[in-house]
Amino acid sequence: GMAGAFLMEIRRGTQSALLVIRYAAAELPSAPVEVSVCADSLEVRSGGSCDAAALPAGVRLAPSSCRGLRRLHGDGLHLHVRLRCPPPAADVVFTLRESLKPDKNYIFYCQSCGDIVVKDRKFLRVLPLPSENWSDLVEEWCCHPDPFARSTLHPQHGDCFVGDTYFLLNSGDESHVPESPIVICKRCKTMLGETVSSDTIKYYVTEVNIQPAEGSFSPTPRSQFVQSMVAQCLLELSSAKSTFRFTIKGDNGKTYILIWLLNTDTLLVESLGSSSSHSDFTLFEDILTPSSGPVGTWNAVKVLYQPCIQGRNKELADAWENDMGVHSLKFPSETCLELLLILGLSTTSLPPSLRCMNSFQV
């Protein structure tokens, strides 16, 4: 029967939306279906049942602009509609650099278990690092041998250097410097980073949760944290460098995923409907709890991706490897696998017709 669930994918830039009214079962209900689109709500009637959902504040449709109604097998009904006014802007993504301020005390927690990794640390300087391949670029720009060839950028006491996916700290401030090249959490043994030199430690942004010392630690579900951190990296690099293709690499040097950034202005609105059979297609089950009501909204980054594990897509990965327009992002290998799983779950939660574009998954 009717699930009454819907998924709306809104583009802020064009003020347009694709609305998919989904069925729990693959077949249409026997009675005719009547869909009413109002400025602030949707209603689906079939037989004796009626499912209605109010749209979230700030999302207002222009009902007269509905067009292109069609039914896709396994998906439900598709419909394009324009918005009456632009939806509220996404919370401005705070960049990693802006999340740390000089002269404030911070605590670094292990994101997985909440154990304290770096106690009360005050930075005198928080500085951005050049991107990974900066030394290659220097050769292109200098007419004489690279003047920086033998110097590496090492943070001094009180420094925090911010890279694309990591923070560099001076380990002289720590009471113990790990002997091994890998920095792991003492409690849960998750890999947090690497020792770069005798006095420098690299912590990955996906593995540590940084909070002001005066606040209290509030844990975030793991998949939500990984998603938001990776989305932030993609957003930051795409706006700073006009780079839209990325290879996700593990700390072992292997390529795990190829990512092509499509857009960053998507707003998703999802209703679970009244039926109990929606469990097979909710997009963010760890965020959408019954307490948040039947309709959820999310700011989303829309990407195309290809998995590269077990030798898949090797030719494409090799081509991207040699392409100057592709930016490489490095994370712990375990996190790359987690990200692949998160992407896969996100894809399967979409209506079947929206899961692929060309040979990529969405």
Side-chain angles (χ1 to χ4, degrees):
M2 285 297 300
F6 72 84
L7 176 70
M8 196 186 305
E9 184 183 324
I10 295 169
R11 290 291 306 278
R12 284 190 175 84
T14 54
Q15 287 185 45
S16 58
L18 166 67
L19 170 63
V20 182
I21 294 166
R22 310 176 74 166
Y23 299 106
E27 73 274 359
L28 273 171
S30 48
V33 177
E34 189 181 297
V35 179
S36 306
V37 177
C38 305
D40 57 359
S41 64
L42 296 171
E43 203 173 86
V44 180
R45 294 173 184 274
S46 173
S49 71
C50 169
D51 278 300
L55 295 176
V59 176
R60 292 292 170 267
L61 305 178
S64 58
S65 68
C66 288
R67 66 186 198 289
L69 177 68
R70 61 196 180 119
R71 176 173 83 86
L72 287 181
H73 186 71
D75 269 23
L77 299 172
H78 282 232
L79 177 72
H80 288 273
V81 61
R82 295 197 65 76
L83 269 64
R84 196 167 266 184
C85 52
D91 306 331
V92 177
V93 149
F94 73 94
T95 61
L96 301 171
R97 282 166 207 133
E98 286 162 12
S99 62
L100 287 171
K101 298 267 188 285
D103 292 327
K104 280 188 73 171
N105 283 23
Y106 291 97
I107 299 176
F108 285 44
Y109 297 92
C110 166
Q111 204 284 319
S112 301
C113 74
D115 199 28
I116 292 180
V117 180
V118 178
K119 236 192 168 83
D120 257 10
R121 179 73 74 85
K122 182 189 278 190
F123 299 113
L124 303 174
R125 304 190 302 172
V126 179
L127 301 171
L129 283 167
S131 61
E132 296 294 295
N133 54 352
W134 69 281
S135 53
D136 305 346
L137 297 174
V138 169
E139 285 170 20
E140 303 285 325
W141 286 95
C142 284
C143 56
H144 50 279
D146 178 1
F148 309 108
R150 280 179 300 284
S151 59
T152 48
L153 298 166
H154 285 305
Q156 304 302 307
H157 284 269
D159 284 351
C160 176
F161 290 175
V162 186
D164 289 344
T165 61
Y166 58 84
F167 303 101
L168 285 187
L169 305 188
N170 186 298
S171 57
D173 304 347
E174 296 289 303
S175 51
H176 64 282
V177 179
E179 296 300 309
S180 81
I182 293 177
V183 180
I184 60 170
C185 170
K186 292 196 290 291
R187 185 197 284 170
C188 72
K189 304 293 182 267
T190 300
M191 177 190 171
L192 305 174
E194 302 160 23
T195 48
V196 179
S197 69
S198 58
D199 61 353
T200 305
I201 296 186
K202 171 198 279 191
Y203 289 107
Y204 286 104
V205 295
T206 49
E207 311 310 314
V208 290
N209 194 338
I210 305 171
Q211 306 268 351
E214 62 272 11
S216 59
F217 176 70
S218 51
T220 311
R222 176 74 185 150
S223 79
Q224 209 178 316
F225 186 83
V226 170
Q227 283 186 74
S228 68
M229 277 304 170
V230 172
Q232 215 164 292
C233 292
L234 299 178
L235 260 171
E236 218 166 302
L237 285 162
S238 65
S239 59
K241 300 193 170 75
S242 295
T243 299
F244 304 101
R245 288 180 298 158
F246 302 89
T247 52
I248 305 292
K249 293 191 165 186
D251 58 277
N252 53 10
K254 285 186 185 161
T255 299
Y256 283 79
I257 318 168
L258 306 178
I259 288 186
W260 197 320
L261 181 64
L262 266 190
N263 68 60
T264 58
D265 67 344
T266 294
L267 178 68
L268 288 176
V269 181
E270 190 183 33
S271 149
L272 299 184
S274 57
S275 146
S276 58
S277 56
H278 62 251
S279 58
D280 54 340
F281 53 52
T282 167
L283 202 46
F284 301 99
E285 58 278 86
D286 58 345
I287 314 175
L288 190 63
T289 53
S291 62
S292 66
V295 178
T297 43
W298 297 271
N299 293 312
V301 167
K302 190 172 186 180
V303 301
L304 304 180
Y305 70 96
Q306 291 273 24
C308 293
I309 49 172
Q310 291 156 351
R312 291 170 68 182
N313 297 304
K314 185 164 171 17
E315 279 179 25
L316 185 61
D318 289 346
W320 279 33
E321 191 67 42
N322 301 318
D323 190 326
M324 280 293 282
V326 177
H327 194 90
S328 175
L329 293 176
K330 186 174 157 189
F331 296 103
S333 304
E334 286 288 313
T335 303
C336 296
L337 291 171
E338 279 180 89
L339 180 59
L340 199 49
L341 187 64
I342 289 167
L343 287 167
L345 288 169
S346 175
T347 302
T348 52
S349 70
L350 291 169
S353 70
L354 302 180
R355 292 175 192 172
C356 288
M357 197 177 280
N358 299 334
S359 60
F360 284 79
Q361 296 180 65
V362 178

